[in-house]
Amino acid sequence: MEILAAEDIEIGTDLFPPLSPLASSLYESFLSSHCSSCFSLLPPSPPHSLYCSATCSLTDSFTNFPEFPPEITPILPSDIRTALRLLNSTGVDTSSSPHRLNGLLTNHHLLMADSSFSLAIHHAASFIATVLRSNRKNTELEEAAICSVLTNAVEVQDSNGLALGIALYDSRFSWINHSCSPNSCYRFVNNTTSYHDDLAYPITIPHVTNTETLSNLELQEHVRTVGYGPKVIARSIKRIKSGEEITVSYIDLLQPTGLRQSDLWLKYRFMCNCGRCAASPPAYVDSVLEGVLVLKPEETTVDYHHGTTNKDEAVAKMTDYIQEAIDDFLSDNIDPKTCFEKIESVLHHGIQFKADSQPHCLQLHACHYVALNAYITLATAYRIRSIDSETGIVFDMSRISAAYSFFLACASHLLFSAEPCLAISAANFWKNAGESLLDLASKFPLERSVESDVKCTKCLILGTPNSNRDIKEKSRQILSCVTDISQVIWSFLTRGCPYLQKFRSPVDFSLTRINGERKESIKDQTVNVLLLSFHCVLYADLLADLCYGEKSHLVS
């Protein structure tokens, strides 16, 4: 099954009005903090323990059921609740075969043939049949509902990217296939968002590749959504030609091919053969995400990480060491200071290995996927250290945290330039960099009047309603300013951080050390930090507008 564009679609176009789910459910950890119907935060004194309002409480017929879905690994309680609500909805077609439910493929035969799923599906289906007090001879329909959720449900995230639960949508969305280089993305909107002109959306035609073809009208008559819950919108992030398949990503795209394939198989039981995955040699973005640098060994390297005679083994040793430090930090097994010391030692010094009896030093490329995760962790660790530390080093910790956030944003731009579908990740990284730099600016010992001096006449016009410049031209202007400002401020931001200091600038990843630090007054430093913050947020807004529209939560 696939969705095809019936006409040429320009970049940054919503493909259909907001769709309500067929069924949805919060994850277990959010049942006490968010509304089980609309997924919004519960008020201090909600009218019901699970719902934010009396209206929302009327949407769920399972409020009074004493049974609670068990966890039947790998099936989660949220999967079972969603399947329960799907079968209990008035729009479900109970005469469907186990291979199709409400126009959605269930992959019932594939999942039931998988020993890691079949027993769990059977137990979950039996539980659902008990709750529904089914008098059918078998649990085939309940199994189909569970399989439909496992195959088609998507994770619902809030405005901060926090995964709250899952939702299942009709074929207008669920028929959109996955690609690791998609031409569209999707976002969730709350029930208060209104769209008055549905005719403004381009027509998309569902095209069934196996048994039958249904028109948009037939689909809408065949399937009725519940009318509540988190709504979804798909939006083009590339130009799409008439007849071209519309695709989105089901997973994190900032991973090399092998990890993406593993992720897709684990979650959805299929292997991707899109152009990016099938490319030989690998696409540029994937070669960078696994890139390593082979350098002449430094004397200090031996003192940190002794090498091997196998390059792949050496790379694995580096990445495992960094990932272990990240995991320990996230699990509160190590403090922030120990975390950034362990990670930075490997990033900076690398690891030695021998080839042809000659010693070499391996270092991760600045955009290696493990390095990207390391920057996120380091920015967080330094920020926490700035909060928990004595007054004397608060500013320095905030400064280095901002430097890592900015470096990550620039790395994401390099990847986005090669693969436009990474715009969503880049938008978040640039937004975080802008906020981190703004936080740093607030710690300068100057009056707030300095903020009134911070202006960029070149870029202010980009945000005006009368600006007709396209995305590329706007990006070029903003990034030109970012490059100019970073050349002035980079040595200040990276002071005391040897790993970042060895890069000429965050937009030039060549390993050239900076000769000394520019001498600037505190006022000049403050102005430059604020200017850089402004441009980071402006670029994040541009990317967020592309991916989510002008009313996005990311757009300032």
Side-chain angles (χ1 to χ4, degrees):
M1 298 198 174
E2 58 188 5
I3 299 285
L4 303 179
E7 59 186 38
D8 290 345
I9 300 174
E10 286 299 312
I11 188 171
T13 302
D14 286 345
L15 304 181
F16 45 69
L19 299 179
S20 296
L22 296 170
S24 60
S25 175
L26 288 168
Y27 286 141
E28 208 78 355
S29 56
F30 295 103
L31 287 173
S32 60
S33 59
H34 289 69
C35 177
S36 290
S37 174
C38 67
F39 283 33
S40 62
L41 278 169
L42 290 174
S45 300
H48 189 284
S49 60
L50 298 176
Y51 304 96
C52 65
S53 65
T55 301
C56 280
S57 67
L58 295 175
T59 62
D60 192 355
S61 61
F62 292 104
T63 303
N64 299 319
F65 272 93
E67 297 94 348
F68 203 70
E71 180 165 348
I72 309 171
T73 306
I75 298 175
L76 301 176
S78 54
D79 299 324
I80 299 176
R81 280 194 297 271
T82 303
L84 264 168
R85 286 169 174 154
L86 175 65
L87 290 176
N88 194 59
S89 66
T90 56
V92 71
D93 181 8
T94 56
S95 64
S96 303
S97 74
H99 308 300
R100 185 76 59 81
L101 194 65
N102 277 30
L104 304 181
L105 285 177
T106 65
N107 284 330
H108 179 270
H109 58 297
L110 293 176
L111 292 172
M112 293 304 290
D114 189 330
S115 58
S116 62
F117 275 96
S118 57
L119 187 59
I121 291 172
H122 178 72
H123 287 326
S126 297
F127 173 83
I128 292 173
T130 300
V131 173
L132 293 177
R133 298 172 184 171
S134 171
N135 56 5
R136 285 185 292 272
K137 295 181 179 179
N138 58 54
T139 59
E140 203 172 64
L141 181 63
E142 289 79 10
E143 289 175 3
I146 283 288
C147 291
S148 182
V149 170
L150 294 175
T151 300
N152 299 287
V154 291
E155 197 167 58
V156 178
Q157 298 180 344
D158 67 5
S159 58
N160 296 315
L162 184 64
L164 299 176
I166 60 172
L168 180 68
Y169 297 92
D170 67 36
S171 46
R172 286 171 290 177
F173 178 75
S174 292
W175 283 8
I176 300 179
N177 288 323
H178 165 84
S179 171
C180 294
S181 180
N183 54 31
S184 305
C185 65
Y186 59 91
R187 69 187 188 275
F188 300 98
V189 295
N190 58 40
N191 292 325
T192 61
T193 306
S194 61
Y195 286 78
H196 301 291
D197 188 8
D198 292 353
L199 298 178
Y201 291 88
I203 302 171
T204 54
I205 301 178
H207 176 68
V208 185
T209 57
N210 48 12
T211 55
E212 78 274 12
T213 300
L214 298 176
S215 68
N216 276 338
L217 182 60
E218 287 172 330
L219 281 170
Q220 291 171 16
E221 290 178 347
H222 180 67
V223 178
R224 285 184 289 172
T225 61
V226 292
Y228 60 87
K231 297 181 179 180
V232 70
I233 301 176
R235 183 177 177 88
S236 61
I237 53 176
K238 299 177 184 176
R239 288 185 174 89
I240 306 174
K241 295 181 180 180
S242 177
E244 183 180 349
E245 182 181 5
I246 293 170
T247 56
V248 296
S249 173
Y250 297 174
I251 57 170
D252 176 17
L253 295 176
L254 278 176
Q255 304 179 90
T257 305
L259 289 181
R260 294 198 310 275
Q261 296 285 14
S262 176
D263 204 6
L264 285 168
W265 180 256
L266 180 65
K267 295 177 179 177
Y268 301 102
R269 285 301 190 267
F270 74 85
M271 303 295 287
C272 181
N273 61 354
C274 71
R276 180 180 168 189
C277 288
S280 180
Y284 171 76
V285 67
D286 286 315
S287 64
V288 170
L289 285 170
E290 289 189 291
V292 293
L293 306 176
V294 181
L295 308 170
K296 292 182 178 180
E298 300 178 17
E299 293 182 3
T300 54
T301 305
V302 181
D303 297 332
Y304 284 85
H305 302 284
H306 298 282
T308 70
T309 57
N310 184 287
K311 180 181 175 181
D312 292 338
E313 182 182 327
V315 173
K317 188 175 180 180
M318 270 196 301
T319 56
D320 288 348
Y321 186 87
I322 293 174
Q323 193 59 56
E324 181 182 342
I326 292 173
D327 293 341
D328 285 343
F329 174 70
L330 296 176
S331 303
D332 291 328
N333 292 331
I334 57 175
D335 60 79
K337 186 173 184 294
T338 303
C339 171
F340 58 67
E341 285 177 348
K342 292 180 69 173
I343 294 175
E344 285 177 324
S345 68
V346 180
L347 288 177
H348 181 50
H349 297 288
I351 190 170
Q352 276 195 347
F353 82 107
K354 287 185 178 181
D356 299 326
S357 301
Q358 297 296 319
H360 297 276
C361 177
L362 280 181
Q363 292 185 1
L364 297 182
H365 188 284
C367 294
H368 192 285
Y369 77 98
V370 172
L372 298 180
N373 291 333
Y375 306 150
I376 297 171
T377 304
L378 289 168
T380 303
Y382 273 105
R383 179 174 53 81
I384 293 174
R385 181 104 164 110
S386 74
I387 297 171
D388 298 339
S389 300
E390 58 272 17
T391 306
I393 63 171
V394 166
F395 182 82
D396 289 337
M397 297 295 102
S398 295
R399 176 173 51 77
I400 298 177
S401 174
Y404 273 113
S405 292
F406 182 52
F407 192 69
L408 175 61
C410 291
S412 72
H413 170 69
L414 177 68
L415 297 169
F416 162 63
S417 299
E419 179 47 79
C421 71
L422 298 176
I424 299 172
S425 298
N428 282 287
F429 291 145
W430 282 91
K431 173 179 175 285
N432 293 338
E435 292 175 347
S436 186
L437 287 162
L438 186 61
D439 178 68
L440 173 63
S442 70
K443 291 180 169 60
F444 278 94
L446 285 177
E447 298 179 2
R448 285 190 169 272
S449 59
V450 174
E451 294 186 15
S452 62
D453 299 333
V454 180
K455 294 178 181 178
C456 179
T457 54
K458 295 179 182 179
C459 294
L460 280 174
I461 192 174
L462 298 180
T464 60
N466 296 325
S467 175
N468 294 319
R469 304 186 189 189
D470 63 18
I471 292 174
K472 289 185 178 179
E473 187 177 349
K474 291 179 180 180
S475 299
R476 194 178 301 115
Q477 178 59 65
I478 296 171
L479 292 168
S480 174
C481 290
V482 167
T483 301
D484 292 342
I485 300 166
S486 64
Q487 288 177 348
V488 176
I489 200 76
W490 184 239
S491 59
F492 160 72
L493 289 175
T494 59
R495 185 198 306 156
C497 183
Y499 172 68
L500 292 180
Q501 280 181 317
K502 67 183 180 183
F503 294 96
R504 180 183 294 123
S505 82
V507 291
D508 179 1
F509 296 106
S510 59
L511 299 178
T512 303
R513 292 186 179 277
I514 298 173
N515 296 321
E517 181 180 334
R518 291 173 178 262
K519 298 296 182 182
E520 294 181 297
S521 67
I522 293 178
K523 180 177 180 180
D524 288 341
Q525 290 175 342
T526 309
V527 169
N528 283 322
V529 169
L530 284 170
L531 271 173
L532 194 56
S533 172
F534 165 76
H535 285 87
C536 287
V537 173
L538 193 62
Y539 191 46
D541 284 357
L542 183 67
L543 296 177
D545 187 9
L546 163 67
C547 301
Y548 300 117
E550 293 181 1
K551 296 182 179 180
S552 161
H553 62 275
L554 280 177
V555 177
S556 300

